[in-house]
Amino acid sequence: MTEKQAIRTDAAPAPFQGAPYSQAIAAGGFVFVSGQVGIRPGETQVVSDSVEEQTEQAFANVGAILSAAGSGLDRLVKTTVTTER
């Protein structure tokens, strides 16, 4: 069985209080990042009502988490962006 390692960084928002998930899990040479939203680290509100700004912040969060895992956005294989209106 492949060993799993939880990834954690203060450069991206922490999971919501009491939430049972990690920012990411590294296993088998892959990093699986939990869903990210357009919230800056240490804040609780989205950056703005703009889908573009929220998406940019979500990608910044993903990039910070990947960096903490020793990877980066340049190695990203798949992502999905969803919006609610």
Side-chain angles (χ1 to χ4, degrees), residues 3 5 15 18 21-22 25-26 29 31 40 42 44 47 53-54 56 66 72-74 83:
E3 187 173 325
Q5 175 188 359
Y21 65 91
S22 302
I25 297 290
V31 179
R40 289 185 183 97
T44 58
V47 292
E53 289 181 46
Q54 289 182 38
E56 286 180 22
L66 289 172
L73 289 172
D74 61 321
T83 61

Side-chain angles (χ1 to χ4, degrees), residues 4-7 22-27 30-34:
K4 298 184 290 186
Q5 175 188 359
I7 306 299
S22 302
Q23 289 173 318
I25 297 290
F30 294 95
V31 179
F32 301 91
V33 179
S34 296

Side-chain angles (χ1 to χ4, degrees), residues 59-71:
F59 269 96
N61 296 340
V62 169
I65 294 167
L66 289 172
S67 179
S71 190

